[in-house]
Amino acid sequence: MEVLVIIVLVLLAIAGATTLGPKLGVAAPLVLVVVGIAVSFLPFVPALEIEPEWILAGVLPPLLYSASVSMPTMEFRREFGAIGGLSVLLVIVSAVVLGLFFAWVIPGLGLAWGIALGAIVSPTDAVATSIVKRSGVSPRVVAILEGESLLNDASALVLLRTAIAAAAASFSLGGFIGSFAYSVAVALVFGWVVGRLNLIVRARVTDATINTVLSFTVPFLASIPAEALGASGLVAAVVAGLVTGRRGPRVLSPQHRLSDAQNWRTIEVILEGLVFLVMGLELFGIVQDVQADHAGFLPALGVALGALVLTIVVRAAYVAPLLGILAWRSRRGEQMRPRMESMQQRLVDPGAASAALERRGGPGARRTPTAADLGRFATRVRRAIADIDYFKSAPLGWREGTVVVWAGMRGAVTVAAAQTLPAPQTPGRSLLVLIAFIVAAASLLIQGGTLGWVVRRVKPAPVDTALERDERARLMTLLFDAAQSVPIPASTERTPEAFMALREARLKRIRAQRAALLDARDDGAFSADLLDGALTNLDADQISLDLKGAPLTPSD
C-alpha cells in the first residue's frame, strides 16, 4: 500500500509541476528538482539511492528513442557536422580540461580519476533540452542542441569506462579510439536493424493499441543487445528512433501514428518528471555519504561551482570557432549555388544530364547513365540547393551562439553516471558523486532558470516573415498539384456505390498529397515545422474519412 501511495504522489507531483510550471514562468523540470531536494530533507523521508542502471538502461533509452522519433532527420543530417563535434570532440576536450582541474583541486585524486569525473559532467542532458524547446529559440538551435544531447552520452560513457580502466592499469589512445568506434558501430547496426524490423512488423498489425504497445519495446530491443555486446545501448535506441521517425509516415497508418504520439507523450512527461524528481530526492543520501566520509560539503560546493564555470568557458571556446566554420560553409554554399542551379536546369534535358553525369564520373567512366542514375543525381542536386537555402535562411551568429553555449545544461545523466563509479577503487567516491550532483543541479537551476532571460537579452534574429510566407505558398502549390493528380468523381448520384467511390477517391488524394510532402521532406524543400503541420492536417482528414466510412455526400 505504501508503494502505491508513493506512486500516486509522484504522478500528482509531476502533473502539478507540468501544469503550474509554465504559469509561474518556470520550466517543470526545475520545479521538480527543487521539490525533490526539499522533500529529501524532511525528517520522515529516508535517504533515497536509485541504482544508476534504472536511469541509464531503464529510463533513458525510451526517452532518447521518443526524442529521436520526433527529430527531423533532414535537420539532423544538415547539422551533423556541428552535432558530431559537440557530442564527441567537445566531450573529450571538456573531460580532459576538467580532469586537470579536478586533479589539481582535489588532493590525491589523480589525473585518471579526474578525467573520469570530467567525463561524467561533460555531456549535456537530453531531458534537460526539453527546457530549451520552451524558450522560443531558433529551430536550428534546437536541432543542434537536441542532436548533441542524443549522442554525447555515448562518448561520455565510453570515455568514463576508459578512464576507470586507465586508473587501474594504463591508458591507450588506440584502445580508446577502438572502443569508441566499436561501441558506435555495433549500436548503429542494432539500431538500424531494430528500427526497420519494428516498421515491418507494426505495418502488419491493424490494432492501434497493440501497435503502440509494440512501440514501447523498440528502444529496449535496440539497447539491451547492444549493451550486452559492450556497445552503446543509448546510441542504438537513438538510431532505431531516427529510422522509425523517417520511415514511419510512409508505412504506418495515421491512426497508429496518432496513438503513438499521444501515448509516447504521456510516457515522456512521466519519465522526464520522474528523472528530475528522483535527482532532487537523492541529494540527502549523497550528503549523508559525504558526511560519513568526513569529506565536507562546502569544499565540494566550491569545486562543483568552479567546474560548472569551466564547462561554460570550454563550451564557449569551442562554439566560437564552430560558428565561424558554419558561416564559411554557408558562404561557400552561396558561391556554389549558380553551378547547382545550372546543373538542375541541364537535368531537364536527358542528353545534357547524361553528359554531365559522365563528366562527373571522370575519364574512366564508360557506362551510360541510366534513368535511375539520373534520378539519384537530380535528388542530390535538389538537396544541395535546399541545404544552401536552409543555411542562408537561418544563419547562426553570436546571438544564437550565446544560446547554444548557455543552453548546454547537465542533468540526471550526470548523477546516474557518477553513481556507476566503483566503490572500492574510487578515491573519495562520495565526494565525487556530490560534486557531480551539484554541477548538474546548479546547471539546471542557474542556466535553465535564466535561459528565457538570456534569450530575451541577446534577441536572436527573428524569422523572416517574407520567406515564411513564400515557403507556405510553395507548400500550398505542392499540395494543390498533388491533389489535382487524383480526379474526384463528378457523379451526382446518391447511391451507396457513388458514396464509396467518392470516399476512396478522397483517400487516394490524401495519400498522393502525403507522398508529395514526404518526398519534399526527403529533399529538404520545406522547414520541419511547416511539414509537420501539413502532415498532421492530412492525417486528421484521413482519420475523419475512415471514421465516417460510407456516409459521404458529394457536397462533403
Side-chain angles (χ1 to χ4, degrees):
M1 183 62 72
E2 289 183 1
V3 174
L4 183 61
V5 171
I6 291 173
I7 292 175
V8 171
L9 291 176
V10 166
L11 292 177
L12 288 174
I14 293 171
T18 305
T19 303
L20 297 176
K23 295 181 179 180
L24 299 174
V26 181
L30 305 182
V31 176
L32 289 168
V33 170
V34 173
V35 169
I37 291 174
V39 170
S40 73
F41 282 92
L42 294 177
F44 56 85
V45 176
L48 178 68
E49 183 174 353
I50 300 292
E51 285 293 327
E53 284 302 309
W54 281 106
I55 302 296
L56 297 176
V59 174
L60 284 183
L63 281 176
L64 294 179
Y65 170 81
S66 180
S68 57
V69 167
S70 59
M71 175 83 182
T73 52
M74 184 57 64
E75 274 76 353
F76 187 83
R77 178 189 65 80
R78 285 167 168 163
E79 306 292 356
F80 188 75
I83 291 171
L86 289 168
S87 58
V88 178
L89 184 57
L90 178 59
V91 167
I92 295 173
V93 172
S94 299
V96 172
V97 172
L98 287 167
L100 293 170
F101 170 74
F102 289 134
W104 175 52
V105 298
I106 302 176
L109 183 64
L111 181 59
W113 289 111
I115 292 177
L117 183 56
I120 289 169
V121 300
S122 292
T124 56
D125 193 272
V127 181
T129 55
S130 62
I131 300 173
V132 178
K133 296 180 182 179
R134 305 182 184 102
S135 302
V137 300
S138 161
R140 189 177 175 191
V141 172
V142 173
I144 291 175
L145 291 171
E146 192 169 16
E148 174 195 6
S149 63
L150 290 176
L151 297 179
N152 60 11
D153 293 330
S155 53
L157 293 176
V158 171
L159 185 57
L160 173 60
R161 289 198 297 263
T162 303
I164 292 174
S170 59
F171 172 76
S172 166
L173 178 61
F176 167 73
I177 295 174
S179 175
F180 182 78
Y182 170 82
S183 178
V184 172
V186 173
L188 288 173
V189 172
F190 270 101
W192 185 86
V193 170
V194 170
R196 293 305 296 265
L197 289 177
N198 156 51
L199 293 174
I200 291 172
V201 172
R202 292 174 60 203
R204 289 161 173 75
V205 177
T206 57
D207 189 293
T209 303
I210 301 302
N211 207 292
T212 301
V213 171
L214 291 175
S215 75
F216 292 155
T217 68
V218 174
F220 302 106
L221 292 175
S223 64
I224 292 174
E227 288 287 346
L229 292 177
S232 173
L234 301 181
V235 172
V238 167
V239 174
L242 291 173
V243 172
T244 302
R246 184 176 184 276
R247 293 283 302 164
R250 293 189 185 273
V251 300
L252 299 179
S253 71
Q255 292 88 342
H256 291 175
R257 286 184 279 110
L258 179 62
S259 175
D260 278 5
Q262 292 173 337
N263 287 284
W264 270 104
R265 177 56 188 152
T266 303
I267 296 295
E268 279 185 4
V269 169
I270 293 174
L271 292 183
E272 284 182 5
L274 184 64
V275 163
F276 287 106
L277 188 61
V278 167
M279 179 178 165
L281 289 170
E282 288 185 302
L283 177 59
F284 181 72
I286 294 173
V287 171
Q288 272 192 331
D289 291 340
V290 170
Q291 290 175 339
D293 293 341
H294 305 287
F297 178 81
L298 290 180
L301 178 63
V303 172
L305 293 179
L308 178 59
V309 171
L310 197 55
T311 60
I312 297 173
V313 171
V314 172
R315 187 175 180 85
Y318 181 87
V319 169
L322 175 63
L323 294 177
I325 293 172
L326 294 177
W328 171 82
R329 186 175 68 173
S330 180
R331 291 193 299 269
R332 183 170 175 269
E334 278 294 296
Q335 294 170 356
M336 293 178 61
R337 186 186 178 90
R339 181 183 174 190
M340 293 289 105
E341 291 177 339
S342 174
M343 212 174 282
Q344 189 177 39
Q345 292 172 358
R346 288 203 302 270
L347 286 171
V348 178
D349 179 5
S354 297
L357 198 56
E358 287 177 357
R359 285 196 297 272
R360 283 180 61 86
R366 301 178 181 276
R367 183 174 66 86
T368 302
T370 64
D373 294 330
L374 293 176
R376 286 191 293 268
F377 185 59
T379 299
R380 290 172 58 187
V381 172
R382 286 198 306 271
R383 287 182 180 176
I385 294 175
D387 290 350
I388 293 170
D389 291 338
Y390 169 81
F391 292 121
K392 180 183 178 182
S393 64
L396 297 181
W398 70 268
R399 302 176 189 275
E400 290 78 16
T402 301
V403 176
V404 171
V405 171
W406 198 249
M409 289 167 280
R410 278 64 188 163
V413 174
T414 293
V415 179
Q419 292 172 333
T420 64
L421 291 170
Q425 299 96 334
T426 308
R429 180 181 181 275
S430 60
L431 178 65
L432 302 189
V433 173
L434 179 59
I435 290 171
F437 179 92
I438 295 174
V439 169
S443 173
L444 283 172
L445 296 175
I446 296 174
Q447 294 175 255
T450 59
L451 181 59
W453 178 82
V454 170
V455 171
R456 290 191 297 271
R457 292 290 295 176
V458 300
K459 297 178 182 177
V463 177
D464 191 324
T465 54
L467 287 176
E468 198 174 47
R469 286 195 301 269
D470 176 69
E471 184 182 34
R472 193 174 296 276
R474 288 190 293 110
L475 180 68
M476 297 305 295
T477 301
L478 175 72
L479 290 172
F480 178 80
D481 292 341
Q484 292 300 107
S485 66
V486 180
I488 296 293
S491 173
T492 58
E493 297 180 11
R494 304 183 66 83
T495 62
E497 292 78 9
F499 295 155
M500 291 300 294
L502 175 61
R503 176 176 176 274
E504 187 58 33
R506 288 190 172 180
L507 287 174
K508 286 182 179 179
R509 175 171 284 188
I510 290 173
R511 295 188 191 104
Q513 290 177 313
R514 182 182 293 112
L517 285 177
L518 294 175
D519 289 342
R521 179 203 65 180
D522 293 342
D523 288 343
F526 300 99
S527 66
D529 290 341
L530 190 60
L531 281 173
D532 285 344
L535 287 169
T536 299
N537 290 336
L538 287 180
D539 288 347
D541 290 343
Q542 182 170 341
I543 291 172
S544 176
L545 288 177
D546 289 340
L547 291 175
K548 286 181 179 180
L552 279 174
T553 66
S555 61
D556 280 344

